[in-house]
Amino acid sequence: MDAAELRQMQAPIKERYKTDPKAALITLKARGSTDSDGIACKVETGRAIAMAGLHPATGGSGLELCSGDMLLEALVACAGVTLKSVATAIEVPLKTGNVYAEGDLDFRGTLGVDKETPVGFAEIRLRFEVDTDAPQDKLDLLLKLTERYCVVYQTIKNGPKVSVSMQRV
């Protein structure tokens, strides 16, 4: 796909959102079930069922997916798609591109070993490696726009309002 094809594909969508802003408001959903053996959660991905479990650093077997890994994988997926889309739109030819995310956790927090240790990632690093002949100013723009338009990156960076509830069924 080239820049013209991308613009042609997205033009009617963008026009619709300009004339009807409410049409752009979409609720994405995820669902999981704890109805399984062991300490695990079946997550419906829309295409398959992913079994998430404890990380080996917290006693897990390592056979199930770790939700922390899944968060980083979602960041990589979103950043990669955004990078490719932006590169297409601003006509930066990518011969190859790789996206890496890594995050630092102190499992003393999640295991309650040390009440002062925060639970969650202390730091996340996102890195792109690209093979392109594009000039540096175009690469700077590519990075800036990828950061700006990557939904998962912006969500992690800006920390949206989050609510939690529980219902008896």
Side-chain angles (χ1 to χ4, degrees), residues 45-68:
T45 67
R47 304 241 182 324
I49 300 231
M51 186 64 78
L54 294 172
H55 187 278
T58 62
S61 68
L63 297 175
E64 297 92 7
L65 299 168
C66 165
S67 53

Side-chain angles (χ1 to χ4, degrees), residues 120 124 130 144 163:
I124 294 176
V130 295
K144 177 183 173 185
S163 62

Side-chain angles (χ1 to χ4, degrees), residues 36-53:
S36 64
D37 293 335
I39 307 294
C41 180
K42 293 179 193 172
V43 180
E44 296 177 16
T45 67
R47 304 241 182 324
I49 300 231
M51 186 64 78

Side-chain angles (χ1 to χ4, degrees), residues 5 8 15 36 47 54 65-66 85 96 102 113 115 135-136 164:
E5 290 171 317
Q8 182 181 2
E15 186 57 37
S36 64
R47 304 241 182 324
L54 294 172
L65 299 168
C66 165
S85 179
T96 61
E102 54 187 30
V113 171
K115 302 289 187 207
Q136 188 60 46
V164 178

Side-chain angles (χ1 to χ4, degrees), residues 9 14-15 34 43 72 80 88 111 120 124 136 143 146 161:
M9 179 185 69
K14 288 181 176 185
E15 186 57 37
T34 59
V43 180
L72 296 178
T88 301
L111 287 175
I124 294 176
Q136 188 60 46
L143 180 60
T146 299
K161 177 182 173 188

